[in-house]
Amino acid sequence: MTQAVTPKPTSQGDPLAQLRDIHMPEPGGFWPPAPGWWLLAILVLALAIWLGVVLWRRHQRNRWIRDARRELAGLKATAQADNKWFAELNALLKRCARERYPESQPHTLSGHQWADFMLRTQPSLDKAEVESLVNAAWSPAPQLPAETACRVAEQWLGGRR
């Protein structure tokens, strides 16, 4: 028969001396992340996509104002005090008004109605300058300088979003 060997205690009076030291488990690695980090990553990604879509739509929605300002700069470069130039400027402003206020159908307005519409949508404009701008397209000798007309148009476009 074989006898079982029992280890001899080093110290007869101290049974705790036979215990081994406590070992902590190894720390986990950074991968795979915990479920909370996955949730946070999905949330941040969804927020970034939503913000991108909102900014893109805003950029597309305001494209007409950028195009109008570019066209106004071209008109400003060729500024002349003749009724054809004033007719082009009024046509540009009406296209912008149609884009911004489609329910009012401002492109169908003319004369005092068009001037009143411009003043109603941008109250800071000078009434005499707006009326001169509107009437200059029909007048054989416009009374409003082209630079003033450009300033009025820029001020009116500045209030559009």
Side-chain angles (χ1 to χ4, degrees):
M1 284 197 118
T2 335
Q3 283 186 340
V5 179
T6 57
K8 283 187 174 181
T10 56
S11 166
Q12 288 289 47
D14 188 15
L16 293 178
Q18 296 176 359
L19 296 177
R20 288 185 287 162
D21 201 13
I22 296 176
H23 294 285
M24 297 301 289
E26 290 293 321
F30 73 93
W31 198 261
W37 287 111
W38 283 108
L39 185 63
L40 181 65
I42 289 170
L43 190 65
V44 166
L45 183 64
L47 182 65
I49 290 171
W50 175 79
L51 184 63
V53 167
V54 166
L55 290 175
W56 176 252
R57 284 182 180 168
R58 182 177 179 204
H59 179 76
Q60 290 300 98
R61 188 177 59 239
N62 291 333
R63 185 174 61 186
W64 67 270
I65 194 84
R66 288 188 305 277
D67 293 343
R69 287 185 178 141
R70 192 174 15 251
E71 191 174 338
L72 181 61
L75 281 174
K76 197 175 188 180
T78 63
Q80 308 172 36
D82 68 342
N83 54 357
K84 182 181 177 197
W85 185 84
F86 279 100
E88 289 178 17
L89 182 60
N90 272 304
L92 168 64
L93 294 176
K94 284 186 179 186
R95 283 195 310 270
C96 293
R98 180 180 59 213
E99 186 70 34
R100 176 61 181 96
Y101 304 102
E103 68 283 346
S104 300
Q105 298 182 347
H107 58 283
T108 62
L109 303 175
S110 62
H112 292 295
Q113 293 173 335
W114 172 234
D116 289 342
F117 176 83
M118 288 181 69
L119 290 168
R120 189 172 60 249
T121 56
Q122 185 72 14
S124 63
L125 294 175
D126 182 61
K127 183 177 182 175
E129 289 178 345
V130 171
E131 287 177 353
S132 295
L133 170 67
V134 170
N135 294 330
W138 299 290
S139 175
Q143 301 299 317
L144 187 68
E147 295 79 26
T148 305
C150 287
R151 183 183 51 76
V152 169
E154 284 174 345
Q155 191 176 355
W156 189 80
L157 282 175
R160 310 289 69 88
R161 294 268 178 256

Short mmCIF file of all heavy atoms in Angstrom, two decimals, residues 43-84:
data_model
loop_
_atom_site.label_atom_id
_atom_site.label_comp_id
_atom_site.label_asym_id
_atom_site.label_seq_id
_atom_site.Cartn_x
_atom_site.Cartn_y
_atom_site.Cartn_z
N LEU A 43 -23.92 56.01 -31.00
CA LEU A 43 -24.59 57.28 -30.76
C LEU A 43 -23.82 58.46 -31.37
O LEU A 43 -24.41 59.32 -32.03
CB LEU A 43 -24.77 57.49 -29.25
CG LEU A 43 -25.65 58.63 -28.80
CD1 LEU A 43 -27.08 58.36 -29.26
CD2 LEU A 43 -25.60 58.77 -27.30
N VAL A 44 -22.51 58.48 -31.21
CA VAL A 44 -21.68 59.55 -31.78
C VAL A 44 -21.72 59.48 -33.30
O VAL A 44 -21.84 60.52 -33.98
CB VAL A 44 -20.23 59.46 -31.25
CG1 VAL A 44 -19.28 60.32 -32.05
CG2 VAL A 44 -20.19 59.85 -29.78
N LEU A 45 -21.66 58.30 -33.87
CA LEU A 45 -21.72 58.15 -35.32
C LEU A 45 -23.07 58.62 -35.87
O LEU A 45 -23.13 59.34 -36.87
CB LEU A 45 -21.47 56.69 -35.71
CG LEU A 45 -21.43 56.39 -37.20
CD1 LEU A 45 -20.27 57.13 -37.85
CD2 LEU A 45 -21.33 54.91 -37.43
N ALA A 46 -24.15 58.25 -35.19
CA ALA A 46 -25.48 58.69 -35.63
C ALA A 46 -25.61 60.21 -35.54
O ALA A 46 -26.17 60.85 -36.43
CB ALA A 46 -26.56 58.01 -34.78
N LEU A 47 -25.08 60.79 -34.48
CA LEU A 47 -25.12 62.25 -34.32
C LEU A 47 -24.31 62.94 -35.41
O LEU A 47 -24.74 63.95 -35.97
CB LEU A 47 -24.61 62.64 -32.93
CG LEU A 47 -24.63 64.12 -32.60
CD1 LEU A 47 -26.07 64.62 -32.55
CD2 LEU A 47 -23.93 64.37 -31.26
N ALA A 48 -23.16 62.41 -35.75
CA ALA A 48 -22.32 62.99 -36.81
C ALA A 48 -23.02 62.91 -38.17
O ALA A 48 -22.99 63.87 -38.95
CB ALA A 48 -20.97 62.29 -36.86
N ILE A 49 -23.67 61.80 -38.45
CA ILE A 49 -24.39 61.65 -39.71
C ILE A 49 -25.56 62.62 -39.76
O ILE A 49 -25.78 63.31 -40.77
CB ILE A 49 -24.85 60.19 -39.91
CG1 ILE A 49 -23.64 59.31 -40.18
CG2 ILE A 49 -25.87 60.08 -41.03
CD1 ILE A 49 -23.95 57.82 -40.18
N TRP A 50 -26.31 62.72 -38.68
CA TRP A 50 -27.45 63.65 -38.62
C TRP A 50 -26.98 65.09 -38.82
O TRP A 50 -27.58 65.84 -39.59
CB TRP A 50 -28.17 63.50 -37.29
CG TRP A 50 -29.26 64.50 -37.11
CD1 TRP A 50 -30.51 64.46 -37.64
CD2 TRP A 50 -29.19 65.71 -36.36
NE1 TRP A 50 -31.22 65.57 -37.26
CE2 TRP A 50 -30.43 66.35 -36.47
CE3 TRP A 50 -28.19 66.30 -35.59
CZ2 TRP A 50 -30.70 67.56 -35.84
CZ3 TRP A 50 -28.47 67.50 -34.98
CH2 TRP A 50 -29.70 68.12 -35.12
N LEU A 51 -25.91 65.48 -38.15
CA LEU A 51 -25.38 66.83 -38.29
C LEU A 51 -24.91 67.10 -39.71
O LEU A 51 -25.15 68.17 -40.27
CB LEU A 51 -24.24 67.06 -37.30
CG LEU A 51 -23.64 68.46 -37.26
CD1 LEU A 51 -24.70 69.46 -36.82
CD2 LEU A 51 -22.46 68.49 -36.31
N GLY A 52 -24.27 66.13 -40.32
CA GLY A 52 -23.84 66.26 -41.71
C GLY A 52 -25.01 66.46 -42.65
O GLY A 52 -24.97 67.31 -43.55
N VAL A 53 -26.08 65.71 -42.46
CA VAL A 53 -27.27 65.83 -43.30
C VAL A 53 -27.92 67.21 -43.12
O VAL A 53 -28.30 67.86 -44.09
CB VAL A 53 -28.28 64.69 -43.01
CG1 VAL A 53 -29.63 64.97 -43.62
CG2 VAL A 53 -27.73 63.36 -43.50
N VAL A 54 -28.03 67.65 -41.88
CA VAL A 54 -28.63 68.97 -41.60
C VAL A 54 -27.81 70.08 -42.25
O VAL A 54 -28.36 70.98 -42.90
CB VAL A 54 -28.77 69.19 -40.08
CG1 VAL A 54 -29.06 70.65 -39.76
CG2 VAL A 54 -29.85 68.29 -39.52
N LEU A 55 -26.50 70.02 -42.10
CA LEU A 55 -25.64 71.06 -42.69
C LEU A 55 -25.70 71.02 -44.22
O LEU A 55 -25.70 72.07 -44.88
CB LEU A 55 -24.21 70.91 -42.20
CG LEU A 55 -23.98 71.27 -40.73
CD1 LEU A 55 -22.55 70.97 -40.32
CD2 LEU A 55 -24.34 72.71 -40.46
N TRP A 56 -25.73 69.83 -44.80
CA TRP A 56 -25.81 69.71 -46.26
C TRP A 56 -27.12 70.29 -46.79
O TRP A 56 -27.15 71.01 -47.78
CB TRP A 56 -25.66 68.26 -46.69
CG TRP A 56 -25.81 68.08 -48.16
CD1 TRP A 56 -26.86 67.51 -48.80
CD2 TRP A 56 -24.90 68.48 -49.17
NE1 TRP A 56 -26.67 67.53 -50.15
CE2 TRP A 56 -25.47 68.13 -50.42
CE3 TRP A 56 -23.67 69.10 -49.16
CZ2 TRP A 56 -24.84 68.38 -51.62
CZ3 TRP A 56 -23.04 69.35 -50.37
CH2 TRP A 56 -23.63 68.99 -51.57
N ARG A 57 -28.23 69.98 -46.11
CA ARG A 57 -29.53 70.52 -46.53
C ARG A 57 -29.55 72.03 -46.43
O ARG A 57 -30.09 72.71 -47.30
CB ARG A 57 -30.65 69.92 -45.70
CG ARG A 57 -30.99 68.51 -46.08
CD ARG A 57 -32.14 67.99 -45.27
NE ARG A 57 -32.45 66.63 -45.64
CZ ARG A 57 -33.26 65.85 -44.95
NH1 ARG A 57 -33.84 66.31 -43.85
NH2 ARG A 57 -33.48 64.62 -45.34
N ARG A 58 -28.98 72.56 -45.37
CA ARG A 58 -28.92 74.02 -45.22
C ARG A 58 -28.08 74.64 -46.32
O ARG A 58 -28.43 75.68 -46.87
CB ARG A 58 -28.35 74.36 -43.84
CG ARG A 58 -28.30 75.83 -43.59
CD ARG A 58 -27.81 76.13 -42.21
NE ARG A 58 -27.76 77.56 -42.03
CZ ARG A 58 -27.00 78.16 -41.16
NH1 ARG A 58 -26.23 77.46 -40.37
NH2 ARG A 58 -27.01 79.46 -41.07
N HIS A 59 -26.97 74.01 -46.61
CA HIS A 59 -26.11 74.51 -47.68
C HIS A 59 -26.84 74.51 -49.02
O HIS A 59 -26.78 75.47 -49.77
CB HIS A 59 -24.84 73.64 -47.76
CG HIS A 59 -23.89 74.03 -48.83
ND1 HIS A 59 -23.06 75.12 -48.71
CD2 HIS A 59 -23.64 73.49 -50.04
CE1 HIS A 59 -22.34 75.22 -49.81
NE2 HIS A 59 -22.67 74.25 -50.62
N GLN A 60 -27.56 73.44 -49.30
CA GLN A 60 -28.31 73.35 -50.55
C GLN A 60 -29.48 74.34 -50.57
O GLN A 60 -29.79 74.92 -51.60
CB GLN A 60 -28.84 71.93 -50.76
CG GLN A 60 -27.76 70.93 -51.08
CD GLN A 60 -27.02 71.27 -52.35
OE1 GLN A 60 -25.95 71.85 -52.32
NE2 GLN A 60 -27.58 70.94 -53.48
N ARG A 61 -30.14 74.50 -49.43
CA ARG A 61 -31.29 75.40 -49.36
C ARG A 61 -30.87 76.85 -49.57
O ARG A 61 -31.63 77.64 -50.13
CB ARG A 61 -31.97 75.23 -48.00
CG ARG A 61 -33.28 75.96 -47.87
CD ARG A 61 -33.97 75.71 -46.54
NE ARG A 61 -33.15 76.10 -45.42
CZ ARG A 61 -32.75 75.30 -44.44
NH1 ARG A 61 -33.09 74.03 -44.45
NH2 ARG A 61 -32.01 75.74 -43.45
N ASN A 62 -29.67 77.22 -49.17
CA ASN A 62 -29.20 78.60 -49.30
C ASN A 62 -28.34 78.82 -50.53
O ASN A 62 -27.70 79.86 -50.65
CB ASN A 62 -28.44 79.01 -48.05
CG ASN A 62 -29.34 79.15 -46.85
OD1 ASN A 62 -30.52 79.43 -47.00
ND2 ASN A 62 -28.81 78.94 -45.67
N ARG A 63 -28.33 77.88 -51.44
CA ARG A 63 -27.52 78.03 -52.65
C ARG A 63 -28.01 79.21 -53.49
O ARG A 63 -27.22 79.93 -54.08
CB ARG A 63 -27.55 76.75 -53.47
CG ARG A 63 -26.62 76.81 -54.67
CD ARG A 63 -26.56 75.51 -55.38
NE ARG A 63 -27.89 75.14 -55.86
CZ ARG A 63 -28.16 74.00 -56.43
NH1 ARG A 63 -27.22 73.10 -56.58
NH2 ARG A 63 -29.38 73.74 -56.85
N TRP A 64 -29.31 79.45 -53.51
CA TRP A 64 -29.86 80.53 -54.33
C TRP A 64 -29.32 81.89 -53.88
O TRP A 64 -29.09 82.75 -54.72
CB TRP A 64 -31.39 80.52 -54.28
CG TRP A 64 -31.97 80.85 -52.95
CD1 TRP A 64 -32.27 79.97 -51.94
CD2 TRP A 64 -32.32 82.14 -52.46
NE1 TRP A 64 -32.78 80.64 -50.86
CE2 TRP A 64 -32.83 81.98 -51.15
CE3 TRP A 64 -32.26 83.41 -53.00
CZ2 TRP A 64 -33.27 83.04 -50.38
CZ3 TRP A 64 -32.71 84.47 -52.22
CH2 TRP A 64 -33.20 84.28 -50.94
N ILE A 65 -29.10 82.07 -52.58
CA ILE A 65 -28.61 83.36 -52.10
C ILE A 65 -27.15 83.56 -52.52
O ILE A 65 -26.75 84.67 -52.86
CB ILE A 65 -28.81 83.52 -50.57
CG1 ILE A 65 -28.62 84.97 -50.14
CG2 ILE A 65 -27.89 82.68 -49.78
CD1 ILE A 65 -29.83 85.80 -50.30
N ARG A 66 -26.37 82.48 -52.51
CA ARG A 66 -24.98 82.60 -52.97
C ARG A 66 -24.93 82.92 -54.46
O ARG A 66 -24.15 83.77 -54.90
CB ARG A 66 -24.22 81.30 -52.67
CG ARG A 66 -23.93 81.09 -51.21
CD ARG A 66 -23.01 79.90 -50.99
NE ARG A 66 -23.49 78.66 -51.59
CZ ARG A 66 -24.36 77.84 -51.03
NH1 ARG A 66 -24.87 78.14 -49.85
NH2 ARG A 66 -24.73 76.73 -51.63
N ASP A 67 -25.79 82.24 -55.23
CA ASP A 67 -25.85 82.52 -56.66
C ASP A 67 -26.30 83.95 -56.93
O ASP A 67 -25.77 84.62 -57.82
CB ASP A 67 -26.80 81.54 -57.37
CG ASP A 67 -26.27 80.11 -57.35
OD1 ASP A 67 -25.06 79.92 -57.10
OD2 ASP A 67 -27.08 79.19 -57.58
N ALA A 68 -27.26 84.43 -56.15
CA ALA A 68 -27.75 85.79 -56.33
C ALA A 68 -26.67 86.81 -56.00
O ALA A 68 -26.50 87.81 -56.72
CB ALA A 68 -28.97 86.03 -55.46
N ARG A 69 -25.93 86.58 -54.96
CA ARG A 69 -24.85 87.51 -54.61
C ARG A 69 -23.76 87.51 -55.67
O ARG A 69 -23.18 88.55 -55.97
CB ARG A 69 -24.28 87.15 -53.24
CG ARG A 69 -25.23 87.51 -52.13
CD ARG A 69 -24.65 87.29 -50.76
NE ARG A 69 -25.62 87.72 -49.75
CZ ARG A 69 -25.84 87.08 -48.63
NH1 ARG A 69 -25.16 85.99 -48.35
NH2 ARG A 69 -26.72 87.54 -47.77
N ARG A 70 -23.49 86.35 -56.23
CA ARG A 70 -22.49 86.27 -57.31
C ARG A 70 -22.99 87.03 -58.54
O ARG A 70 -22.24 87.78 -59.17
CB ARG A 70 -22.22 84.80 -57.63
CG ARG A 70 -21.04 84.56 -58.50
CD ARG A 70 -20.70 83.09 -58.70
NE ARG A 70 -21.73 82.15 -58.33
CZ ARG A 70 -21.67 81.33 -57.26
NH1 ARG A 70 -20.63 81.36 -56.47
NH2 ARG A 70 -22.65 80.49 -57.01
N GLU A 71 -24.27 86.86 -58.88
CA GLU A 71 -24.83 87.57 -60.02
C GLU A 71 -24.89 89.07 -59.76
O GLU A 71 -24.64 89.88 -60.67
CB GLU A 71 -26.23 87.04 -60.34
CG GLU A 71 -26.78 87.53 -61.65
CD GLU A 71 -28.10 86.89 -62.01
OE1 GLU A 71 -28.41 85.80 -61.50
OE2 GLU A 71 -28.82 87.49 -62.83
N LEU A 72 -25.19 89.45 -58.52
CA LEU A 72 -25.19 90.87 -58.17
C LEU A 72 -23.79 91.47 -58.29
O LEU A 72 -23.64 92.60 -58.74
CB LEU A 72 -25.74 91.07 -56.76
CG LEU A 72 -25.82 92.52 -56.27
CD1 LEU A 72 -26.75 93.33 -57.17
CD2 LEU A 72 -26.30 92.57 -54.83
N ALA A 73 -22.78 90.70 -57.93
CA ALA A 73 -21.40 91.18 -58.09
C ALA A 73 -21.08 91.40 -59.57
O ALA A 73 -20.40 92.37 -59.93
CB ALA A 73 -20.42 90.20 -57.47
N GLY A 74 -21.59 90.51 -60.43
CA GLY A 74 -21.39 90.70 -61.87
C GLY A 74 -22.10 91.94 -62.38
O GLY A 74 -21.56 92.69 -63.21
N LEU A 75 -23.32 92.17 -61.90
CA LEU A 75 -24.05 93.37 -62.28
C LEU A 75 -23.36 94.63 -61.75
O LEU A 75 -23.31 95.66 -62.43
CB LEU A 75 -25.49 93.33 -61.75
CG LEU A 75 -26.48 92.49 -62.54
CD1 LEU A 75 -27.81 92.41 -61.82
CD2 LEU A 75 -26.67 93.06 -63.93
N LYS A 76 -22.81 94.52 -60.56
CA LYS A 76 -22.11 95.65 -59.97
C LYS A 76 -20.88 96.02 -60.79
O LYS A 76 -20.55 97.19 -60.94
CB LYS A 76 -21.71 95.28 -58.54
CG LYS A 76 -21.35 96.43 -57.67
CD LYS A 76 -21.08 95.90 -56.25
CE LYS A 76 -20.90 97.01 -55.28
NZ LYS A 76 -20.65 96.52 -53.93
N ALA A 77 -20.22 95.00 -61.34
CA ALA A 77 -19.03 95.25 -62.16
C ALA A 77 -19.38 95.95 -63.46
O ALA A 77 -18.56 96.69 -64.01
CB ALA A 77 -18.30 93.94 -62.43
N THR A 78 -20.59 95.73 -63.96
CA THR A 78 -21.01 96.35 -65.21
C THR A 78 -22.05 97.44 -64.97
O THR A 78 -22.89 97.69 -65.82
CB THR A 78 -21.60 95.29 -66.16
OG1 THR A 78 -22.77 94.74 -65.55
CG2 THR A 78 -20.60 94.20 -66.48
N ALA A 79 -21.99 98.07 -63.80
CA ALA A 79 -23.00 99.04 -63.40
C ALA A 79 -23.08 100.21 -64.38
O ALA A 79 -22.07 100.83 -64.70
CB ALA A 79 -22.71 99.55 -62.00
N GLN A 80 -24.29 100.47 -64.86
CA GLN A 80 -24.58 101.59 -65.74
C GLN A 80 -25.92 102.18 -65.32
O GLN A 80 -26.77 101.47 -64.84
CB GLN A 80 -24.71 101.13 -67.19
CG GLN A 80 -23.58 100.31 -67.72
CD GLN A 80 -23.93 99.78 -69.09
OE1 GLN A 80 -24.59 100.45 -69.85
NE2 GLN A 80 -23.50 98.58 -69.38
N ALA A 81 -26.06 103.42 -65.53
CA ALA A 81 -27.33 104.07 -65.17
C ALA A 81 -28.27 104.08 -66.37
O ALA A 81 -28.71 105.12 -66.81
CB ALA A 81 -27.06 105.48 -64.66
N ASP A 82 -28.57 102.90 -66.91
CA ASP A 82 -29.56 102.83 -67.99
C ASP A 82 -30.66 101.85 -67.59
O ASP A 82 -30.49 101.03 -66.69
CB ASP A 82 -28.92 102.43 -69.32
CG ASP A 82 -28.40 101.01 -69.34
OD1 ASP A 82 -28.22 100.42 -68.26
OD2 ASP A 82 -28.17 100.48 -70.45
N ASN A 83 -31.81 101.97 -68.24
CA ASN A 83 -32.97 101.21 -67.80
C ASN A 83 -32.81 99.71 -68.04
O ASN A 83 -33.41 98.91 -67.34
CB ASN A 83 -34.25 101.75 -68.42
CG ASN A 83 -34.18 101.83 -69.92
OD1 ASN A 83 -33.15 101.54 -70.51
ND2 ASN A 83 -35.26 102.26 -70.54
N LYS A 84 -32.00 99.28 -68.98
CA LYS A 84 -31.79 97.85 -69.20
C LYS A 84 -31.06 97.24 -67.99
O LYS A 84 -31.42 96.16 -67.53
CB LYS A 84 -30.98 97.63 -70.47
CG LYS A 84 -30.76 96.18 -70.78
CD LYS A 84 -29.93 95.99 -72.02
CE LYS A 84 -29.69 94.51 -72.22
NZ LYS A 84 -28.61 94.23 -73.12
#
